[in-house]
Amino acid sequence: MKDGFLKVGVASVDVEVANPIHNKEKVMEVMKKADKNGVKLLVFPELVLAAYTCNDLFLQKTLLDEAKKQLFVILEETKGQDMVTVLGLPLTVNHKLYNCAVFVQGGKILGVVPKHYLPNYSEFYEARHFAPGEEEVKMIRLGGKDVPFGMNLLFCCENMEELVIGCEICEDLWSPLPPSTHHALAGATVICNPSASDETTTKDTYRRNLVSQQSARLVCAYLYSCAGEGESTQDLVYSGHNMIAEYGAILKESRRFQNSYIETEIDLQRLEADRRRMTTFVTEGADKKYERVYFRLKEERTQISRTFERTPFIPSNKADRERRCDEILTIQAMGLKKRLAHTHCQSAVVGISGGLDSTLAVLVTARAFDMLNIPRENIVCVTMPCFGTTDRTYSNAVTLTKKLGASLREIRINKAVEQHFSDIGHDPENHDVTYENSQARERTQILMDIANQTNGMVIGTGDMSELALGWATYNGDHMSMYAVNSSVPKTLVRHLVRYYADTSKEQELKEVLLDILDTPVSPELLPPVDGVISQKTEDLVGPYELHDFFLYYMLRFGFHPEKIFRLTRQAFGEEYDVATCYKWLRTFCWRFFAQHFKRSCLPDGPKVGSIAVSPRGDLRMPSDASSAVWMSELDELKDKLGL
């Protein structure tokens, strides 16, 4: 539980109407299974010990007494359980009957939450039997002990401070202002909902949206347990539609029309991170008084069964991915369109290398020019071959420019760079950082001067992954007049270019884009070997798919390096071994801090996703911040891993 994961479960069981003895047995079967699996929070349906569809039998003391008796039997049989379980049953308090959710752990009752909103329309008649629960918490006598009773109860884990549980029951969620809203504002990170929602056509879609949206709105996990098979079908059918949601995403969902048990892990640190970032999520000053019940859980490492996308910036669904790509290209183009219109520029200058980033930049520029009805021939693509340029990238740069209808200028910079080496006294046989960066800065000088010649602006090509790593030459390719790719990670650049290729009606343009996609990522600053690229970026700084994964979880949620490492291993499996994952995570953390000065003077550029590294927007970080705490944790992790 150290890294914030909590295994949770939701179940519907095969009840018999008005038979608490049978229902208790079914409940116990699932409780034993869940406890064995390491589940720490388990939710059963509304009124599960009696069954929801008892109707006027709820007025029979025989049924009420037996349901309460079976609750006590469960307590006796679960004295050794660490798991918190939410059980539904009818309870009489001060001569009134309430529809209740009872929280139990280790043979003890933690508290009782009554249902507030009682549906009494259409097929529902709950107000005939039950009294509405009240917010105020009071003590009731149950099983010979004083127990807190009321809607405004929060169950707080003392040794996992991110875990605060609130509860609402079925119709509570369907109301205009669900109790869970107040629970979350008071600090609840997990909402349990024991429910008995009957099934009618298309109701499942609405129900799913309710659960998903409430978990998103409240930045919480939502555990929804629904009554299923076994309930009376005299007039209605219950499908056992169980769901576990986290911040808008349905992590696990049961098949309807069969009783089932589902479990997964919720990430409480992720929820806490987003609440911490969202200044509009104000917990202080909540206008409700709450009572908090404290409990403890055994401290143990949660085994993770849920999956994590290797490419968190890219939807796995093809249709969603295509929509995302088109939207991002439009956002990039709209940003550039405004800048061109504001400056009255009729020209744009792009350093075209035949690589992915410059390809995306010129594709975006072409779209922006089309929006402004500026001829594409006013896009000046400049190819600047030098020591490391290969025939393949040169040819692709030339072909791409021609197929887009842009203008092409070829300026070989060998002599200019050699003259510069002579001026500063650098040995051209010394292929160090000076050798490499001199080429990048010469190219930037040329682009800037051509922009002056054409009354245009230089369009930046560098992407967010390069900026995160500082893999850019300061005042070289790092600089431009508008950086269209500055919030696009490298893994996404590839998909954007592929989307453009897949949707292109021009076969030759499609072919050149596909060949660019197949070309190794390289700055081409070192001489090729036998005409083939010798300097491959990912051999030097590590795989971009790993760095983008690190970037997402570090900036989006502020996770510890150790947790990011664990998620990396979970996402990539055996594709990268332990030592490789550790090596590149360490590289990422060190470079991220050491290279921030390059981001501090980053040119303007549009934000396209949930993360950006602009010093004027998402990342207001001092350039001289220390990485010592992060590196110390990585040192400890290295020792744990035996590396």
Side-chain angles (χ1 to χ4, degrees), residues 169-322:
I169 302 174
C170 198
E171 184 74 12
D172 288 344
L173 173 62
W174 301 65
S175 67
L177 186 59
S180 55
T181 302
H182 296 293
H183 298 344
L185 290 176
T189 54
V190 180
I191 302 297
C192 300
N193 189 327
S195 179
S197 178
D198 63 304
E199 208 61 44
T200 55
T201 183
T202 72
K203 189 176 181 180
D204 64 309
T205 301
Y206 187 76
R207 186 190 300 118
R208 185 183 300 108
N209 288 339
L210 271 180
V211 170
S212 172
Q213 287 301 310
Q214 192 69 350
S215 72
R217 188 179 298 108
L218 303 184
V219 193
C220 73
Y222 203 101
L223 278 55
Y224 185 90
S225 173
C226 190
E229 194 171 3
E231 292 286 356
S232 172
T233 58
Q234 180 175 329
D235 294 296
L236 304 170
V237 170
Y238 295 83
S239 69
H241 189 188
N242 301 322
M243 289 172 278
I244 300 173
E246 178 186 282
Y247 198 12
I250 302 293
L251 300 181
K252 210 72 177 285
E253 181 176 8
S254 66
R255 293 183 62 182
R256 291 184 300 147
F257 304 110
Q258 62 182 42
N259 289 324
S260 61
Y261 161 74
I262 57 174
E263 65 179 42
T264 190
E265 302 78 39
I266 54 176
D267 189 348
L268 295 170
Q269 286 183 0
R270 178 193 177 192
L271 300 173
E272 186 183 49
D274 270 322
R275 288 189 178 185
R276 193 166 54 236
R277 293 173 72 241
M278 293 173 61
T279 57
T280 52
F281 194 97
V282 182
T283 56
E284 293 182 5
D287 59 351
K288 305 288 182 182
K289 182 179 179 182
Y290 277 81
E291 297 291 335
R292 286 165 172 78
V293 177
Y294 293 91
F295 65 96
R296 297 183 68 85
L297 292 172
K298 293 176 183 176
E299 296 188 26
E300 52 194 29
R301 188 175 179 85
T302 302
Q303 295 299 313
I304 302 176
S305 62
R306 61 188 279 191
T307 58
F308 297 87
E309 294 291 342
R310 296 183 177 187
T311 52
F313 293 104
I314 303 162
S316 55
N317 177 274
K318 185 175 185 292
D320 290 342
R321 186 167 60 249
E322 289 178 349

Side-chain angles (χ1 to χ4, degrees), residues 23 45-52 58 88-90 98-100 130 194 231:
N23 299 341
E46 183 177 9
L47 296 169
V48 66
L49 288 183
Y52 178 77
F58 283 127
L89 74 157
Y98 293 91
N99 180 342
C100 296
F130 300 106
E231 292 286 356

Side-chain angles (χ1 to χ4, degrees), residues 321-426:
R321 186 167 60 249
E322 289 178 349
R323 280 194 296 271
R324 180 81 58 87
C325 287
D326 188 69
E327 181 181 37
I328 289 172
L329 287 168
T330 300
I331 292 171
Q332 290 178 276
M334 288 294 290
L336 179 56
K337 174 190 172 185
K338 168 64 178 178
R339 183 55 54 92
L340 290 167
H342 177 72
T343 55
H344 304 291
C345 276
Q346 294 292 306
S347 168
V349 180
V350 183
I352 193 80
S353 68
L356 276 172
D357 289 344
S358 65
T359 296
L360 178 58
V362 75
L363 293 175
V364 169
T365 304
R367 182 176 282 209
F369 270 51
D370 292 347
M371 291 174 173
L372 289 167
N373 294 315
I374 302 175
R376 287 190 180 184
E377 63 189 28
N378 288 14
I379 302 172
V380 182
C381 291
V382 187
T383 177
M384 295 166 281
C386 197
F387 311 127
T389 304
T390 60
D391 291 341
R392 180 181 186 182
T393 54
Y394 169 78
S395 175
N396 283 339
V398 172
T399 304
L400 175 64
T401 302
K402 291 179 178 178
K403 291 304 172 183
L404 287 175
S407 300
L408 178 68
R409 291 189 63 173
E410 180 179 331
I411 301 174
R412 293 190 174 271
I413 65 172
N414 304 55
K415 291 182 179 180
V417 175
E418 287 167 354
Q419 178 62 51
H420 181 62
F421 288 161
S422 176
D423 292 342
I424 67 173
H426 183 77

Side-chain angles (χ1 to χ4, degrees), residues 565 569 576-586 641 643:
F565 176 82
R569 297 292 298 147
Y576 299 102
D577 61 27
V578 170
T580 300
C581 291
Y582 177 83
K583 172 186 175 181
W584 296 125
L585 177 57
R586 190 178 186 89
L641 297 173
L643 296 175

